[in-house]
């Protein structure tokens, strides 16, 4: 398959590009596009066959539901039954933005989109290209992150090209995304709204608006029969680089010391060692490759670079990576959730 790649200029000239892209969507094809969180792999969300194409292209298990992306609140009413008042408050506050709500679905939403569930995930992204594409296509667009199943999510069009060139119809290159981690998912079908996936909109920010919010207890734990995450996608190993990844957690001095000790041990055995560090610590390591996520005192910079750094290691011969840990507070909750998953929960506490 030929993949058409178009670079957005964010001027009126883009109009033609959106016309082409929306024709592809309307005829059941696949278009990757930027959002403020990560790139999405879009298809007509109400077309059963189009949604199936997404699963096939990603190699995604069919029980893992997709998020429907909309461009206005009216569209939400056509997709879901009940919008509880807590949901209304949060959507008023955070939409368009990196918050996905889970609601009871209406008949119009095909089971191929929801992985067979009676509920549906909906988000209004805060990105001009995403909103314009949805408007032009005149329908909700189903879009998972535009990565092959198991790979880190794409934060640049190049990541999408690496995973999907020749396998999808079109890629809209809108530049680097702003946030770099997928949206916060909140389940409004439970009595107390529950966070199923932490993201840029933090538990504290949600609490400030509606007072109370639960956190899926299966997050950040090794999953067992009795402790299974409520978002089906959260149970898969994910975001994983090809190299073994181990997180080292503790006071920063001891973390640096321990990583250097472990790195030296491995390098002596002839292994190629990488370190995931921060601006504050990057000069303290002795390893074959040191990648910097961002500044510890600016966790948004860490979030923005996480997937790019994980993907970059895949282009090297590094076979073992040690990463610093972050706090579990605020945005750190989402960062640690993704890092732990990428590491298959392999963590050393010092
Ligand atoms: O930021 C984002 O949310 C990005 C951009 C493209 O919008 N999209 C994204 O989609 O991360 P995806 O498919 O990679 O992740 C969707 C997550 C999966 O973990 C899935 O299991 C969960 O949402 N999900 C979708 N529908 C659900 C439902 N009805 N109930 C519970 N979890 C659901
Ligand atoms: Mg994903």
């Amino acid at each position: 398959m030929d993949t058409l790649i178009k670079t957005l200029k964010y001027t009126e000239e883009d109009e033609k590009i959106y016309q082409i892209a929306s024709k592809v969507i309307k005829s059941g094809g696949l278009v990757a596009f930027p959002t403020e969180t990560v790139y999405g792999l879009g298809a007509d969300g109400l077309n059963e066959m189009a949604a199936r194409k997404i699963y096939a292209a990603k190699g995604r298990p069919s029980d893992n539901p997709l998020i429907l992306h909309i461009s206005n609140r009216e569209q939400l009413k056509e997709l879901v039954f009940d919008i509880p008042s807590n949901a209304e408050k949060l959507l008023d506050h955070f939409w368009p933005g990196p918050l996905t709500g889970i609601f009871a679905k209406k008949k119009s939403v095909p089971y191929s989109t929801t992985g067979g569930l009676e509920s549906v995930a909906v988000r209004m992204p805060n990105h001009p290209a995403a909103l314009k594409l949805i408007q032009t296509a005149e329908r909700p667009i189903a879009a998972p992150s535009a990565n092959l199943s198991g790979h880190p999510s794409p934060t640049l069009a190049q990541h999408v090209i690496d995973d999907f060139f020749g396998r999808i119809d079109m890629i809209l290159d809108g530049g680097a995304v702003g946030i770099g981690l997928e949206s916060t998912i909140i389940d409004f079908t439970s009595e107390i709204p529950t966070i199923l996936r932490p993201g840029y909109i933090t538990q504290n920010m949600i609490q400030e608006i509606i007072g109370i919010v639960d956190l899926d207890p299966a997050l950040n734990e090794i999953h067992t029969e009795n402790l299974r995450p409520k978002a089906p996608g959260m149970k898969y190993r994910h975001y994983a680089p090809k190299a073994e990844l181990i997180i080292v957690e503790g006071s920063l001095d001891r973390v640096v010391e321990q990583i250097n000790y472990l790195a030296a041990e491995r390098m002596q055995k002839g292994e190629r060692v990488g370190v995931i560090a921060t601006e504050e610590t990057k000069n303290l390591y002795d390893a074959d490759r040191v990648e910097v996520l961002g500044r510890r005192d600016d966790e948004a910079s860490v979030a923005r670079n996480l997937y790019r750094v994980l993907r970059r290691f895949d282009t090297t011969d590094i076979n073992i990576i040690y990463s610093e840990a972050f706090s579990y507070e605020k945005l750190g909750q989402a960062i640690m959730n993704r890092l732990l998953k990428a590491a298959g929960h392999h963590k050393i506490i010092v």
Side-chain angles (χ1 to χ4, degrees):
M1 175 190 287
D2 284 336
T3 302
L4 182 63
I5 303 175
K6 289 282 180 190
T7 302
L8 297 170
K9 298 199 182 83
Y10 297 106
T11 65
E12 276 169 20
E13 279 179 55
D14 290 346
E15 190 60 38
K16 276 181 277 173
I17 299 176
Y18 291 115
Q19 290 299 338
I20 300 169
S22 65
K23 266 196 200 128
V24 174
I25 296 280
K26 285 179 179 174
S27 60
L30 302 185
V31 178
F33 61 96
T35 81
E36 79 279 34
T37 57
V38 298
Y39 273 75
L41 179 58
D44 182 343
L46 303 181
N47 173 339
E48 182 115 27
M49 289 314 292
R52 282 189 208 288
K53 276 192 198 167
I54 292 181
Y55 287 90
K58 278 186 64 110
R60 179 175 175 117
S62 61
D63 72 341
N64 189 3
L66 308 173
I67 296 173
L68 287 182
H69 294 67
I70 59 174
S71 58
N72 64 69
R73 283 282 277 279
E74 284 307 304
Q75 279 174 304
L76 180 63
K77 294 187 195 139
E78 290 161 24
L79 302 173
V80 313
F81 266 121
D82 179 36
I83 308 175
S85 64
N86 277 334
E88 293 278 9
K89 280 187 209 153
L90 285 175
L91 303 186
D92 285 346
H93 215 269
F94 293 115
W95 271 12
L99 185 77
T100 295
I102 309 275
F103 303 88
K105 84 171 192 70
K106 279 192 176 162
K107 258 213 177 87
S108 57
V109 180
Y111 286 113
S112 60
T113 303
T114 69
L117 298 176
E118 292 300 335
S119 60
V120 61
V122 187
R123 167 165 119 83
M124 192 192 299
N126 186 16
H127 190 288
L131 291 170
K132 180 76 184 178
L133 179 63
I134 301 162
Q135 275 157 16
T136 318
E138 300 171 299
R139 66 204 63 205
I141 294 187
S145 50
N147 52 281
L148 289 172
S149 207
H151 283 198
S153 297
T155 56
L156 297 171
Q158 186 60 48
H159 298 155
V160 183
I161 295 170
D162 293 343
D163 280 11
F164 289 112
F165 188 75
R167 308 176 63 161
I168 61 176
D169 300 286
M170 190 169 181
I171 298 171
L172 300 184
D173 181 350
V177 302
I179 292 178
L181 295 181
E182 306 86 344
S183 60
T184 306
I185 299 180
I186 182 161
D187 185 357
F188 294 118
T189 68
S190 50
E191 188 116 354
I192 297 173
T194 306
I195 295 174
L196 307 188
R197 179 174 73 182
Y200 189 78
I201 310 265
T202 63
Q203 195 174 3
N204 291 345
M205 289 157 79
I206 293 171
Q207 247 154 9
E208 271 178 31
I209 311 288
I210 58 170
I212 183 166
V213 62
D214 274 349
L215 194 64
D216 183 349
L219 290 174
N220 296 354
E221 297 295 331
I222 295 173
H223 308 142
T224 61
E225 270 303 302
N226 299 325
L227 196 67
R228 216 184 259 155
K230 293 205 186 71
M234 297 301 278
K235 70 175 181 274
Y236 297 106
R237 178 144 191 250
H238 228 176
Y239 321 118
K242 288 186 195 122
E244 183 184 355
L245 172 62
I246 299 174
I247 299 167
V248 183
E249 188 174 296
S251 71
L252 201 52
D253 290 356
R254 298 200 56 190
V255 165
V256 172
E257 197 181 317
Q258 182 70 12
I259 289 180
N260 276 328
Y261 174 79
L262 293 168
E265 212 174 45
R266 294 278 197 144
M267 286 192 290
Q268 239 167 28
K269 289 186 192 151
E271 294 188 67
R272 303 280 296 161
V273 180
V275 173
I276 298 182
T278 43
E279 282 296 340
E280 290 88 338
T281 56
K282 65 181 180 194
N283 296 323
L284 305 176
Y285 292 108
D286 190 10
D288 294 306
R289 191 180 179 99
V290 178
E291 289 282 351
V292 176
L293 284 180
R295 298 189 57 85
R296 287 196 157 267
D297 59 9
D298 173 15
E299 284 191 332
S301 68
V302 173
R304 195 158 51 235
N305 291 316
L306 178 62
Y307 292 146
R308 192 173 51 78
V309 164
L310 290 177
R311 275 184 181 256
R312 193 180 290 161
F313 273 113
D314 284 350
T315 66
T316 71
D317 62 353
I318 297 294
N319 60 298
I320 166 86
I321 307 167
Y322 294 103
S323 176
E324 294 176 8
F326 294 86
S327 86
Y328 291 84
E329 303 287 304
K330 297 183 187 158
L331 188 50
Q333 194 168 58
I335 294 168
M336 285 307 291
N337 171 261
R338 306 309 196 275
L339 254 186
L340 282 165
K341 278 166 69 82
H345 291 270
H346 195 163
K347 177 171 87 170
I348 296 171
I349 299 177
V350 292

